[in-house]
mmCIF file of all heavy atoms in Angstrom:
data_model
loop_
_atom_site.group_PDB
_atom_site.id
_atom_site.type_symbol
_atom_site.label_atom_id
_atom_site.label_comp_id
_atom_site.label_asym_id
_atom_site.label_seq_id
_atom_site.Cartn_x
_atom_site.Cartn_y
_atom_site.Cartn_z
ATOM 1 N N HIS A 11 0.850 -1.205 0.034
ATOM 2 C CA HIS A 11 0.025 -0.043 0.027
ATOM 3 C C HIS A 11 0.881 1.248 -0.028
ATOM 4 O O HIS A 11 0.668 2.202 -0.807
ATOM 5 C CB HIS A 11 -0.950 0.026 1.271
ATOM 6 C CG HIS A 11 -1.907 1.127 1.260
ATOM 7 N ND1 HIS A 11 -3.220 0.847 1.666
ATOM 8 C CD2 HIS A 11 -1.694 2.494 0.967
ATOM 9 C CE1 HIS A 11 -3.899 2.100 1.561
ATOM 10 N NE2 HIS A 11 -3.000 2.941 1.182
ATOM 11 N N LEU A 12 1.985 1.216 0.797
ATOM 12 C CA LEU A 12 2.859 2.376 0.933
ATOM 13 C C LEU A 12 3.560 2.540 -0.422
ATOM 14 O O LEU A 12 3.669 3.815 -0.985
ATOM 15 C CB LEU A 12 3.797 2.243 2.021
ATOM 16 C CG LEU A 12 4.975 3.286 2.084
ATOM 17 C CD1 LEU A 12 4.413 4.658 2.353
ATOM 18 C CD2 LEU A 12 5.905 3.008 3.256
ATOM 19 N N PHE A 13 4.068 1.513 -1.030
ATOM 20 C CA PHE A 13 4.666 1.531 -2.297
ATOM 21 C C PHE A 13 3.744 2.095 -3.343
ATOM 22 O O PHE A 13 4.142 3.003 -4.202
ATOM 23 C CB PHE A 13 5.073 0.219 -2.750
ATOM 24 C CG PHE A 13 5.684 0.105 -4.084
ATOM 25 C CD1 PHE A 13 7.010 0.710 -4.475
ATOM 26 C CD2 PHE A 13 5.029 -0.571 -5.197
ATOM 27 C CE1 PHE A 13 7.526 0.713 -5.607
ATOM 28 C CE2 PHE A 13 5.659 -0.647 -6.398
ATOM 29 C CZ PHE A 13 6.839 0.049 -6.731
ATOM 30 N N ASP A 14 2.519 1.680 -3.424
ATOM 31 C CA ASP A 14 1.512 2.194 -4.289
ATOM 32 C C ASP A 14 1.241 3.690 -4.247
ATOM 33 O O ASP A 14 1.120 4.353 -5.171
ATOM 34 C CB ASP A 14 0.162 1.515 -4.232
ATOM 35 C CG ASP A 14 0.223 0.031 -4.731
ATOM 36 O OD1 ASP A 14 1.197 -0.307 -5.469
ATOM 37 O OD2 ASP A 14 -0.682 -0.646 -4.382
ATOM 38 N N GLU A 15 1.236 4.113 -2.823
ATOM 39 C CA GLU A 15 1.156 5.624 -2.699
ATOM 40 C C GLU A 15 2.271 6.353 -3.191
ATOM 41 O O GLU A 15 2.127 7.469 -3.781
ATOM 42 C CB GLU A 15 0.869 5.892 -1.163
ATOM 43 C CG GLU A 15 -0.406 5.303 -0.603
ATOM 44 C CD GLU A 15 -1.686 6.111 -1.014
ATOM 45 O OE1 GLU A 15 -1.555 7.063 -1.734
ATOM 46 O OE2 GLU A 15 -2.570 5.955 -0.479
ATOM 47 N N VAL A 16 3.436 5.923 -2.962
ATOM 48 C CA VAL A 16 4.740 6.464 -3.520
ATOM 49 C C VAL A 16 4.686 6.570 -5.016
ATOM 50 O O VAL A 16 5.074 7.595 -5.597
ATOM 51 C CB VAL A 16 5.873 5.781 -2.856
ATOM 52 C CG1 VAL A 16 7.112 6.414 -3.552
ATOM 53 C CG2 VAL A 16 6.111 5.972 -1.383
ATOM 54 N N CYS A 17 4.331 5.387 -5.662
ATOM 55 C CA CYS A 17 4.142 5.416 -7.013
ATOM 56 C C CYS A 17 3.299 6.563 -7.588
ATOM 57 O O CYS A 17 3.583 7.005 -8.662
ATOM 58 C CB CYS A 17 3.769 4.043 -7.557
ATOM 59 S SG CYS A 17 4.922 2.711 -7.371
ATOM 60 N N GLY A 18 2.276 6.663 -6.879
ATOM 61 C CA GLY A 18 1.233 7.763 -7.301
ATOM 62 C C GLY A 18 1.775 9.075 -7.205
ATOM 63 O O GLY A 18 1.034 10.023 -7.963
ATOM 64 N N LEU A 19 2.840 9.442 -6.619
ATOM 65 C CA LEU A 19 3.484 10.792 -6.741
ATOM 66 C C LEU A 19 3.982 11.094 -8.002
ATOM 67 O O LEU A 19 4.067 12.286 -8.430
ATOM 68 C CB LEU A 19 4.564 10.818 -5.643
ATOM 69 C CG LEU A 19 4.225 10.642 -4.233
ATOM 70 C CD1 LEU A 19 5.382 10.567 -3.264
ATOM 71 C CD2 LEU A 19 3.232 11.596 -3.794
ATOM 72 N N ARG A 20 4.336 9.976 -8.873
ATOM 73 C CA ARG A 20 4.779 10.226 -10.153
ATOM 74 C C ARG A 20 6.016 11.330 -10.307
ATOM 75 O O ARG A 20 5.899 12.228 -11.004
ATOM 76 C CB ARG A 20 3.626 10.807 -11.159
ATOM 77 C CG ARG A 20 2.501 9.742 -11.177
ATOM 78 C CD ARG A 20 1.482 10.122 -12.212
ATOM 79 N NE ARG A 20 0.354 9.229 -12.195
ATOM 80 C CZ ARG A 20 0.277 8.042 -12.813
ATOM 81 N NH1 ARG A 20 1.438 7.567 -13.441
ATOM 82 N NH2 ARG A 20 -0.680 7.208 -12.710
ATOM 83 N N GLN A 21 7.017 10.911 -9.429
ATOM 84 C CA GLN A 21 8.151 11.892 -9.368
ATOM 85 C C GLN A 21 9.122 11.361 -10.480
ATOM 86 O O GLN A 21 9.083 10.262 -10.989
ATOM 87 C CB GLN A 21 8.736 11.986 -8.056
ATOM 88 C CG GLN A 21 7.781 12.757 -7.049
ATOM 89 C CD GLN A 21 8.289 12.731 -5.706
ATOM 90 O OE1 GLN A 21 7.590 13.165 -4.786
ATOM 91 N NE2 GLN A 21 9.434 12.219 -5.450
ATOM 92 N N ALA A 22 10.197 12.261 -10.647
ATOM 93 C CA ALA A 22 11.254 11.801 -11.748
ATOM 94 C C ALA A 22 12.089 10.595 -11.270
ATOM 95 O O ALA A 22 12.621 10.017 -12.101
ATOM 96 C CB ALA A 22 11.913 13.078 -11.993
ATOM 97 N N ALA A 23 12.273 10.493 -9.920
ATOM 98 C CA ALA A 23 13.163 9.516 -9.499
ATOM 99 C C ALA A 23 12.750 8.140 -9.692
ATOM 100 O O ALA A 23 11.399 7.776 -9.613
ATOM 101 C CB ALA A 23 13.298 9.702 -7.868
ATOM 102 N N PRO A 24 13.596 7.182 -10.236
ATOM 103 C CA PRO A 24 13.155 5.910 -10.617
ATOM 104 C C PRO A 24 12.590 4.999 -9.381
ATOM 105 O O PRO A 24 13.101 5.266 -8.255
ATOM 106 C CB PRO A 24 14.373 5.205 -11.145
ATOM 107 C CG PRO A 24 15.514 6.088 -10.562
ATOM 108 C CD PRO A 24 15.055 7.518 -10.423
ATOM 109 N N LEU A 25 11.690 4.100 -9.638
ATOM 110 C CA LEU A 25 11.270 3.259 -8.500
ATOM 111 C C LEU A 25 11.578 1.789 -8.532
ATOM 112 O O LEU A 25 11.049 1.062 -7.816
ATOM 113 C CB LEU A 25 9.768 3.296 -8.615
ATOM 114 C CG LEU A 25 9.079 4.638 -8.407
ATOM 115 C CD1 LEU A 25 7.540 4.713 -8.827
ATOM 116 C CD2 LEU A 25 8.977 4.901 -6.847
ATOM 117 N N ASP A 26 12.717 1.589 -9.315
ATOM 118 C CA ASP A 26 13.012 0.181 -9.515
ATOM 119 C C ASP A 26 13.515 -0.511 -8.327
ATOM 120 O O ASP A 26 13.236 -1.678 -7.948
ATOM 121 C CB ASP A 26 14.208 0.069 -10.536
ATOM 122 C CG ASP A 26 13.625 0.386 -11.947
ATOM 123 O OD1 ASP A 26 12.483 0.648 -12.100
ATOM 124 O OD2 ASP A 26 14.569 0.488 -12.834
ATOM 125 N N GLU A 27 14.441 0.292 -7.409
ATOM 126 C CA GLU A 27 14.751 -0.309 -6.243
ATOM 127 C C GLU A 27 13.739 -0.549 -5.191
ATOM 128 O O GLU A 27 13.625 -1.581 -4.509
ATOM 129 C CB GLU A 27 15.921 0.717 -5.643
ATOM 130 C CG GLU A 27 16.503 0.139 -4.195
ATOM 131 C CD GLU A 27 17.326 1.030 -3.710
ATOM 132 O OE1 GLU A 27 17.603 2.246 -4.178
ATOM 133 O OE2 GLU A 27 17.868 0.711 -2.487
ATOM 134 N N LEU A 28 12.806 0.535 -5.016
ATOM 135 C CA LEU A 28 11.638 0.347 -4.249
ATOM 136 C C LEU A 28 10.827 -0.966 -4.642
ATOM 137 O O LEU A 28 10.378 -1.698 -3.632
ATOM 138 C CB LEU A 28 10.829 1.477 -4.188
ATOM 139 C CG LEU A 28 11.358 2.725 -3.480
ATOM 140 C CD1 LEU A 28 10.407 3.977 -3.664
ATOM 141 C CD2 LEU A 28 11.717 2.543 -2.131
ATOM 142 N N GLN A 29 10.518 -1.177 -5.968
ATOM 143 C CA GLN A 29 9.805 -2.203 -6.338
ATOM 144 C C GLN A 29 10.553 -3.633 -6.072
ATOM 145 O O GLN A 29 9.775 -4.481 -5.605
ATOM 146 C CB GLN A 29 9.542 -2.090 -7.825
ATOM 147 C CG GLN A 29 8.620 -3.135 -8.393
ATOM 148 C CD GLN A 29 8.257 -2.964 -9.894
ATOM 149 O OE1 GLN A 29 8.935 -2.182 -10.585
ATOM 150 N NE2 GLN A 29 7.113 -3.429 -10.333
ATOM 151 N N HIS A 30 11.740 -3.655 -6.266
ATOM 152 C CA HIS A 30 12.560 -4.917 -5.986
ATOM 153 C C HIS A 30 12.502 -5.230 -4.526
ATOM 154 O O HIS A 30 12.211 -6.387 -4.118
ATOM 155 C CB HIS A 30 13.968 -4.657 -6.445
ATOM 156 C CG HIS A 30 14.892 -5.713 -6.105
ATOM 157 N ND1 HIS A 30 14.801 -6.975 -6.756
ATOM 158 C CD2 HIS A 30 15.955 -5.783 -5.140
ATOM 159 C CE1 HIS A 30 15.802 -7.824 -6.312
ATOM 160 N NE2 HIS A 30 16.366 -7.071 -5.365
ATOM 161 N N LEU A 31 12.586 -4.222 -3.622
ATOM 162 C CA LEU A 31 12.711 -4.422 -2.136
ATOM 163 C C LEU A 31 11.277 -4.854 -1.658
ATOM 164 O O LEU A 31 11.129 -5.753 -0.758
ATOM 165 C CB LEU A 31 13.189 -3.149 -1.462
ATOM 166 C CG LEU A 31 14.666 -2.872 -1.518
ATOM 167 C CD1 LEU A 31 14.965 -1.483 -0.914
ATOM 168 C CD2 LEU A 31 15.515 -3.911 -0.900
ATOM 169 N N CYS A 32 10.214 -4.213 -2.265
ATOM 170 C CA CYS A 32 8.880 -4.496 -1.909
ATOM 171 C C CYS A 32 8.636 -6.053 -2.160
ATOM 172 O O CYS A 32 8.012 -6.642 -1.342
ATOM 173 C CB CYS A 32 7.962 -3.628 -2.666
ATOM 174 S SG CYS A 32 6.270 -3.874 -2.213
ATOM 175 N N GLN A 33 9.054 -6.350 -3.384
ATOM 176 C CA GLN A 33 8.660 -7.750 -3.749
ATOM 177 C C GLN A 33 9.597 -8.760 -2.929
ATOM 178 O O GLN A 33 9.103 -9.824 -2.569
ATOM 179 C CB GLN A 33 9.019 -8.000 -5.274
ATOM 180 C CG GLN A 33 8.759 -9.356 -5.832
ATOM 181 C CD GLN A 33 7.376 -9.631 -5.686
ATOM 182 O OE1 GLN A 33 6.330 -8.814 -6.046
ATOM 183 N NE2 GLN A 33 6.974 -10.854 -4.917
ATOM 184 N N ASN A 34 10.840 -8.413 -2.614
ATOM 185 C CA ASN A 34 11.662 -9.244 -1.766
ATOM 186 C C ASN A 34 11.097 -9.345 -0.465
ATOM 187 O O ASN A 34 11.186 -10.472 0.265
ATOM 188 C CB ASN A 34 13.146 -8.579 -1.633
ATOM 189 C CG ASN A 34 13.986 -8.897 -2.905
ATOM 190 O OD1 ASN A 34 13.503 -9.633 -3.830
ATOM 191 N ND2 ASN A 34 15.179 -8.464 -2.907
ATOM 192 N N PHE A 35 10.496 -8.268 0.180
ATOM 193 C CA PHE A 35 9.908 -8.463 1.420
ATOM 194 C C PHE A 35 8.689 -9.413 1.456
ATOM 195 O O PHE A 35 8.551 -10.269 2.306
ATOM 196 C CB PHE A 35 9.370 -7.106 1.935
ATOM 197 C CG PHE A 35 8.756 -7.063 3.344
ATOM 198 C CD1 PHE A 35 9.539 -7.622 4.478
ATOM 199 C CD2 PHE A 35 7.503 -6.761 3.523
ATOM 200 C CE1 PHE A 35 8.842 -7.664 5.683
ATOM 201 C CE2 PHE A 35 6.913 -6.829 4.731
ATOM 202 C CZ PHE A 35 7.584 -7.339 5.844
ATOM 203 N N ALA A 36 7.804 -9.268 0.306
ATOM 204 C CA ALA A 36 6.648 -10.154 0.333
ATOM 205 C C ALA A 36 7.242 -11.535 0.207
ATOM 206 O O ALA A 36 6.533 -12.469 0.822
ATOM 207 C CB ALA A 36 5.783 -9.806 -0.906
ATOM 208 N N ASP A 37 8.191 -11.889 -0.587
ATOM 209 C CA ASP A 37 8.801 -13.223 -0.762
ATOM 210 C C ASP A 37 9.342 -13.708 0.467
ATOM 211 O O ASP A 37 9.095 -14.921 0.869
ATOM 212 C CB ASP A 37 9.835 -13.173 -1.933
ATOM 213 C CG ASP A 37 9.219 -12.972 -3.230
ATOM 214 O OD1 ASP A 37 7.978 -13.050 -3.456
ATOM 215 O OD2 ASP A 37 10.034 -12.522 -4.247
ATOM 216 N N SER A 38 10.100 -12.955 1.182
ATOM 217 C CA SER A 38 10.796 -13.352 2.318
ATOM 218 C C SER A 38 9.716 -13.774 3.454
ATOM 219 O O SER A 38 10.040 -14.531 4.339
ATOM 220 C CB SER A 38 11.807 -12.383 2.906
ATOM 221 O OG SER A 38 10.994 -11.150 3.447
ATOM 222 N N CYS A 39 8.557 -13.124 3.480
ATOM 223 C CA CYS A 39 7.450 -13.395 4.449
ATOM 224 C C CYS A 39 6.544 -14.508 4.037
ATOM 225 O O CYS A 39 5.615 -14.867 4.782
ATOM 226 C CB CYS A 39 6.732 -12.109 4.737
ATOM 227 S SG CYS A 39 7.795 -10.809 5.567
ATOM 228 N N ARG A 40 6.637 -15.081 2.864
ATOM 229 C CA ARG A 40 5.708 -16.011 2.291
ATOM 230 C C ARG A 40 5.625 -17.255 3.343
ATOM 231 O O ARG A 40 4.437 -17.538 3.611
ATOM 232 C CB ARG A 40 6.102 -16.402 0.867
ATOM 233 C CG ARG A 40 5.023 -17.460 0.289
ATOM 234 C CD ARG A 40 5.366 -17.660 -1.150
ATOM 235 N NE ARG A 40 5.069 -16.523 -1.919
ATOM 236 C CZ ARG A 40 5.900 -15.965 -2.617
ATOM 237 N NH1 ARG A 40 7.175 -16.319 -2.470
ATOM 238 N NH2 ARG A 40 5.561 -14.848 -3.446
#
């Protein structure tokens, strides 16, 4: 949810690292 809110800001900075960490966290908690 937090990641989606940050994505919604549509800023110039890339989101690749955030997306990677978000997915890694979900995978580590599976």
Side-chain angles (χ1 to χ4, degrees):
H11 185 139
L12 176 60
F13 175 69
D14 290 345
E15 293 283 9
V16 172
C17 288
L19 297 178
R20 301 187 182 280
Q21 296 177 180
L25 291 162
D26 294 354
E27 181 184 1
L28 289 181
Q29 185 174 22
H30 176 72
L31 290 170
C32 184
Q33 186 59 55
N34 277 0
F35 178 64
D37 291 344
S38 68
C39 291
R40 184 172 290 116

